[in-house]
Amino acid sequence: MTPASSTATESSGFQQTIRNVKMDKVGIIGVGQSKFVRAFNGSIRELAFEAFQEAMRDANMTIGDIDATIVCSAPEYDKQRSPSGVLAEYFGLNPQPTFYVESLCSSSTTGLRLAYSLVKSGLHDVVLVAGFQKMSEITSAESQERMGRGADIQWEAPFGTMMPAYYAMFAQGHTARYGTTSEDLALIRLKSSFYGALNEKAMIRKPLSPQDFKDPSNQLNNPISSPLRMRDCCANADGASCIIVANEERARALGGKTVWIMGLGSATAAVNLVGRDHFHGLAAAEEAARQAYKMAGIGPSDVDVAEVHDCFTIAELMAYENLGFAKPGEGVELIRAKETYKEGRIPVNVDGGLLSKGHPIGATGGSQVRTIVLQLRGEAGPMQVKDASIGLVHNIGGVGIYANVTILGRE
Amino acid sequence: MAAKEIDNRFSKFGTVSFTAFTRVNDFIDHLQRGRVMGTRCRTCGARYFPPRADCCRSLDSDMEWVDLPGMGTLLTYSTLSYAPTGFGEDLPYTIAVVDFGSVRVFGRLDRTLPAESISIGMRLKLEVLKLPGGNVSYEFRVAS
């Protein structure tokens, strides 16, 4: 044995000890997102590459640094069967392993949870989570048809269900219990439009005024499913996101930009609404939040900035309460007092949220994570929340069928 | 070779059924006879609506058909102004969840009910509905 190799062996043994004893955190070292658009003029691999390219450059990595890839999307919009293989090839990530994960709109934070476990277990050092959706891949007629199959196709869909109607039933339940009004919900859209205008990756960037919600000829006020109007609903989009997750040793070797995963919570609830106990909040979100806070060792008042799953305005309002930012029934006070604006007590969706960014199913969670990572690094530009050090991501699949809550922090 | 008989009775459920094959196909026969029925596990007594062929508590698959309680209360609802493909002619219609005590039921409200008369907590009963074209369904009506 040469002296050099002897040193390497000792060094490697030393590193191993450090990892087992102290270096056991998991961090996010790179984030990327494509622009979210109505119809991307290219293929899914090219769309996903936009986010991949940005994340790899952000992490200052090359393809040899990635040990495994998790690809996240909702398969009902994919024409390509098993897109993980296609993306891994296009990213130049063969022969590293790749696989596909799906939990509707929460797919890419489910991917993040799996990446954490792969890294934490020591199986891989660096794992890439690529979320994408090209919702324009299928025709709008096909999309309409899939809308009817959003939940329990055997026992609910034959009555003519669709996603806005499910969330509308929660809006109705919240209204009946707490007196929430359509005007309260419009305040959430107003905030979203204000920040959407600042986010160059957002699809809808036109600021709205309270007057826009009073004009009956404005299509934003068209009824969709009572009490929700068009203004309460997010729009389909094409988009991609990419998150690079690494163990502490690799993250520290890259320098000081790492944002650490402090808490992960994940829960489910019955698909068929007959399995739900109440209709004024999402039980799965409450449970996921409880788990994430416990793991992170923090409470709701410690969160400096949050991204919540505002697929509908009512969803953001319920998130305020399910995450403990407000007591049940008091979420409206937060938005009425502008406490969820950038300067408020708990800034929420100050990147415009799904309502302004658009909602490319498989990419959405990764986009939320990217926003929080940029916030914690102080790189969020005009959307920056001052001195943000702990951030939270609330990402929901279906109408609370799946819920992931992720808590991130800087050193 | 004789053609096997295909039991696709469930394709008759609702405005558009997305499922043809299920082991609780007898649900359709009960509807056609005017009864909305759930299932009960013979081993542990657990009641299910929608009906299930299998009990996840006892892990047995020995079920019997049972009638639902007659009266329920409205838990939540929404009236749709847009519909997925295949449901446009039904617009506007109201979907709802009704609590019948031992089980809850997802379905539609009687379309003749004026919007202003609908309120959470109102008393409702289940009625079988025969649809044009031979499909069967059920709806919630005001308890008289």
Side-chain angles (χ1 to χ4, degrees), chain B residues 49-129:
Chain B
F49 193 90
R52 295 171 53 129
D54 310 290
C55 180
C56 54
R57 294 180 221 182
S58 70
L59 300 180
D60 280 343
S61 300
D62 184 14
M63 309 292 265
E64 60 188 351
W65 289 96
V66 289
D67 283 304
L68 298 190
M71 300 282 284
T73 56
L74 180 61
L75 290 178
T76 191
Y77 67 98
S78 178
T79 304
L80 285 77
S81 304
Y82 285 87
T85 304
F87 296 88
E89 287 183 11
D90 291 356
L91 285 173
Y93 56 86
T94 302
I95 57 173
V97 181
V98 174
D99 185 15
F100 285 89
S102 55
V103 292
R104 299 185 192 108
V105 179
F106 187 98
R108 275 197 204 171
L109 276 184
D110 175 1
R111 60 181 301 117
T112 65
L113 262 183
E116 59 277 11
S117 72
I118 304 170
S119 66
I120 287 175
M122 72 190 296
R123 302 281 284 163
L124 295 163
K125 60 180 179 178
L126 263 173
E127 292 284 346
V128 168
L129 204 59

Side-chain angles (χ1 to χ4, degrees), chain A residues 125-184:
Chain A
D125 293 338
V126 180
V127 175
L128 183 135
V129 181
F132 80 92
Q133 210 75 60
K134 186 162 186 259
M135 299 180 77
S136 66
E137 185 90 338
I138 58 172
T139 65
S140 70
E142 286 175 311
S143 174
Q144 282 279 321
E145 195 272 333
R146 279 155 179 73
M147 227 167 47
R149 295 194 269 129
D152 179 349
I153 64 157
Q154 185 171 354
W155 295 104
E156 293 179 325
F159 294 104
T161 57
M162 57 179 187
M163 208 39 76
Y166 285 110
Y167 267 100
M169 292 170 98
F170 279 84
Q172 202 73 256
H174 201 275
T175 296
R177 190 176 174 94
Y178 301 122
T180 313
T181 67
S182 195
E183 290 69 33
D184 292 325

Side-chain angles (χ1 to χ4, degrees), chain A residues 186-363:
Chain A
L187 293 176
I188 287 172
R189 182 59 190 257
L190 193 65
K191 172 172 71 73
S192 165
S193 77
F194 178 78
Y195 291 109
L198 303 178
N199 185 350
E200 60 182 21
K201 303 257 190 186
M203 182 168 82
I204 300 167
R205 304 198 59 193
K206 187 179 167 219
L208 298 172
S209 77
Q211 204 53 41
D212 292 317
F213 301 132
K214 292 177 186 147
D215 174 8
S217 69
N218 188 327
Q219 65 164 14
L220 277 173
N221 301 317
N222 289 354
I224 299 291
S225 193
S226 70
L228 300 183
R229 297 172 181 277
M230 195 174 284
R231 67 197 190 203
D232 297 303
C233 308
C234 70
N236 290 355
D238 290 353
S241 61
C242 188
I243 307 296
I244 302 173
V245 176
N247 64 24
E248 187 170 357
E249 186 184 339
R250 291 296 300 276
R252 293 213 184 277
L254 281 164
K257 282 210 306 191
T258 307
V259 164
W260 304 102
I261 299 174
M262 296 171 64
L264 292 167
S266 191
T268 59
V271 174
N272 194 306
L273 291 193
V274 303
R276 305 295 180 88
D277 291 331
H278 61 75
F279 296 94
H280 50 265
L282 300 179
E286 285 178 337
E287 171 58 20
R290 191 192 61 74
Q291 294 171 13
Y293 286 132
K294 187 179 174 198
M295 180 173 163
I298 65 158
S301 61
D302 298 314
V303 177
D304 298 314
V305 56
E307 280 283 294
V308 309
H309 196 88
D310 61 331
C311 47
F312 300 93
T313 51
I314 181 63
E316 178 165 327
L317 185 61
M318 291 194 295
Y320 295 167
E321 298 170 7
N322 297 157
L323 294 169
F325 299 154
K327 289 181 186 152
E330 295 180 7
V332 289
E333 304 302 334
L334 284 182
I335 188 66
R336 284 177 191 158
K338 293 195 162 189
E339 293 286 9
T340 48
Y341 277 68
K342 199 174 64 155
E343 299 77 13
R345 181 160 66 76
I346 171 66
V348 174
N349 292 355
V350 294
D351 63 350
L354 284 58
L355 286 166
S356 291
K357 286 191 295 184
H359 182 21
I361 313 291

